[in-house]
Each structure stands twice: as C-alpha cells, then as structure tokens.
Amino acid sequence: MASSELLTFEGVPAGPQTLTIKSDHDFTLTADADWITFDKAEGVAGESTDIKVTCAQSTLSTLRQAKIKVASADTKMYINVVQSAYGKELEPFISIVGGNSVDVDADAKSFKVNVQSNVEYTVDIPADVTWIATTPFTKATVDVTELELFVAANTAVAPRTATVYVKNEAEGLVAPIVVNQAGYVEPPTGIIFKDNFDWMAPYVAYYNANSGKTLGRSVEDNNASGNAPNAYTDATITASGLMEAFTAQGYVDLNPEVKVLYPQDCYWKMGKTSAHTGLQLPP
C-alpha cells in the first residue's frame, strides 16, 4: 500500500517528495529512469516506511515520465512519476489509467476507474444513456483519483455499449470511457444452490462481543490489515461453535491440514501465501 500512485515534479524541482509504503512483506524499490532516486530502496514487513523521492532537474523541452516499482513477495505495484519540461508548468491533461474500455456483466453493479489529471474535471453521461450513472464529482490538482460508475441490470438478451466522457471544457480535454455490458442470460431451471452466509451472523456477534476485537472485511474492503482470525486456532472462534455450524451447513474444507479458513463478516477468506484451500458446497 502506497500513500500515492502518482508523483509530479516541475522541470526544476523544489525538492524531494515523501512516499509512504506499508506492506505485509519486506519490499524493495527500483526506478526505470536514472533521473529518479530515493534515500532508501527497501522496507520491512508491517512497518510504514517514509521514502524521500528525488527528481533531477530536467533539461528537456517536453514532459517526461517514469515508474517506481515496489516489489513485495509475489506482488508488484507501480508509482507513476511525471515531470514537466524545463522551466514549464505541466500542460493540462486528463487520462484514464489502464485503458478506455470497461466490460461488465448483465447484473446491476458499480465499478471504479482511475482518472489521472492535473485539472478539474466533470463526468458527462449522454442524456440517452439511462443505464449508467455516477455521483456528482469534480477534481482539481495533479493526482490519480477513483471515479465510481453505476450500471443498471441489462434485462435484454442483446449486449449494449455506451460512452461516458471525463472532460474539462475550458481546456478542451476529453477522455472517453467505453462501457460494454453483456446481455441477460436466462438461468438454468431446477434447484440452484444459494447461500448469503447470514447463518454466520450469531457467531460474528459472539466473536465481536467476547474477543475484544471486531471481525474485519478484508476481501470486501481490499484491506490486508482487516482482522481475520484463523477458524481452527482462534480460541474465541472455537468457543463460538462456528466450525460446528460450518460442518452442519454441509460445507467441507478441501485442504484442512493447512488451516487457512478465516471467518469475516459474513463470508470466508481463504488461503495465504503458499497455502490454499477451497470450499466444497453442500449437495
């Protein structure tokens, strides 16, 4: 986890910028350009590490870009670095990180796209596109920001496509986002297994009341630090009877020897580095 996914410097930088990184594993930093340096190139697991990133003065007449790679165990992330031309401010820009097209299934849902910009922007959804919406949003400063869009369920068999525009009219900037939604597929007839795991609620409540902690939502919130006790070894989970209820519901841990089932509120987090499992569903 990094404090920023984008660092910007003027052609003649005012000084270094601080990047804060925290990881579940020891990590290292490398840059793909020799004009980017940092005061430390590694950090240890579980600690927030402040790294001073220095950008050399540019002698170019155009903007230049680089990437800092943060490598931790088998995971990598990248921080973009943008520097304006020598003696110039950054030209206004808006871009969509990761591409301008998004594919979604027929269900109603929300999804997020990252918008990189150094100007204020608005989101323009054409009037005839009634199945896509967003919350009112404007953004200034150079940054990568998260824009959330909502799509209604597609009840027609045919797929549909629409384009949303991220724009700054004063600067004449437009960044399109093409949304492709699949058509509705009739579900098979017969018995379909369903479980929203609400049967876990009493055990979640017991844990929260007796452990002095609260079960996290690590997967739902994409939060590696969320509280996820081990279902096999945590004393409060054992006392709650959750695993007996798990078995009574008809579930089977396919790899119980590695003990990597972690109850959440209300679902199961499974597996860790080099140890994996899955659930066999009830008949």
Side-chain angles (χ1 to χ4, degrees), residues 97-115:
V97 179
N100 293 74
S101 182
V102 177
D103 297 321
V104 295
D105 59 34
D107 296 334
K109 59 169 43 66
S110 67
F111 64 91
K112 295 176 181 178
V113 294
N114 288 324
V115 180

Side-chain angles (χ1 to χ4, degrees), residues 114-193:
N114 288 324
V115 180
Q116 180 174 290
S117 73
N118 66 343
V119 294
E120 203 171 272
Y121 67 78
T122 59
V123 181
D124 180 17
I125 301 175
D128 61 341
V129 180
T130 58
W131 53 279
I132 302 178
T134 188
T135 54
F137 190 89
T138 60
K139 179 67 183 177
T141 74
V142 185
D143 206 352
V144 174
T145 55
E146 204 170 58
L147 170 65
E148 187 169 20
L149 295 170
F150 307 89
V151 294
N154 187 1
T155 58
V157 174
R160 57 188 177 184
T161 297
T163 302
V164 174
Y165 301 93
V166 180
K167 58 172 55 176
N168 180 293
E169 294 185 357
E171 299 290 347
L173 301 173
V174 178
I177 305 170
V178 179
V179 182
N180 303 303
Q181 187 178 37
Y184 174 75
V185 177
E186 188 72 31
T189 57
I191 297 174
I192 301 173
F193 174 78

Side-chain angles (χ1 to χ4, degrees), residues 205-217:
Y206 180 93
Y207 177 88
N208 293 346
N210 293 278
S211 69
K213 303 176 183 178
T214 300
L215 279 180
R217 295 178 175 176

